[in-house]
Amino acid sequence: LNFTHQLKAGLLYRHHLVEQLQQRTQVKVIYDVQFPFENTEFSINPGELAVYVQDKIEYEGVIINAGVRIDRFDPGAQVLADYFRPSFQDTLGNGQIVRKALLGDDADTKWFVQPRLGISHPISETAAMHYSWGKFYTPPPFSYLYDEYGTFANPSLPNIRDVNADPPEATAYEMGLQWGFHP
């Protein structure tokens, strides 16, 4: 903008495709019925969107970096309709029993506001101090969200992933010193 203000802005957009087709059988002791099998099939589209604005303010005795980043994460998946009844069984025309996930509403879209502030100032001709603070959000790993999405290998004790879980957030503080020992 001028000699003391430098504005920066940015935009991030990611659209993912996560697919899985898995059919597993369960062996039972009774051999006169068709073996039941589990069908896990999904195609979901998680999406990420972020925008940031930063102002670098420089004066003779101080440099200030102030900014904000806003993130949006949509898991693109559905949550279980009932955690106490996560799946249902269906019988196909050939007598095969199929277990499928009982999914309900779409997972919530999450919004994160991440302010950041950094200050640096000289303490002598060869040394300077700097301080920074910021809030940070980490997108959840897809392996955690969708690893066993809709899979119920053990119907009595299913391993259920919560696609609606809040991802990790952190607040970071930093204080540092830089010193030129030799020209």
Side-chain angles (χ1 to χ4, degrees), residues 3-4 56-65 117-123 128-131:
F3 186 72
T4 57
K56 184 176 183 180
I57 306 162
E58 291 191 47
Y59 289 107
E60 187 175 330
V62 67
I63 299 173
I64 301 170
N65 281 305
L117 179 65
I119 300 171
S120 174
H121 63 86
I123 53 176
M129 293 280 299
H130 66 271
Y131 316 91

Side-chain angles (χ1 to χ4, degrees), residues 72-149:
R72 174 188 177 269
F73 178 71
D74 179 13
Q78 295 174 299
V79 296
L80 289 174
D82 183 1
Y83 280 93
F84 296 103
R85 186 175 168 249
S87 65
F88 67 96
Q89 289 191 168
D90 192 12
T91 305
L92 301 178
N94 62 1
Q96 288 282 0
I97 300 170
V98 180
R99 186 178 305 115
K100 295 182 181 179
L102 189 57
L103 300 173
D105 298 330
D106 290 338
D108 296 335
T109 298
K110 311 271 190 216
W111 289 89
F112 301 92
V113 178
Q114 304 171 79
R116 288 138 191 216
L117 179 65
I119 300 171
S120 174
H121 63 86
I123 53 176
S124 75
E125 286 187 19
T126 59
M129 293 280 299
H130 66 271
Y131 316 91
S132 67
W133 167 86
K135 290 193 154 296
F136 297 90
Y137 141 82
T138 304
F142 288 169
S143 61
Y144 174 77
L145 285 181
Y146 310 118
D147 184 34
E148 296 191 30
Y149 178 70

Side-chain angles (χ1 to χ4, degrees), residues 169-183:
E169 292 181 74
T171 302
Y173 304 90
E174 182 179 323
M175 186 170 83
L177 171 69
Q178 67 183 44
W179 186 7
F181 294 101
H182 193 283

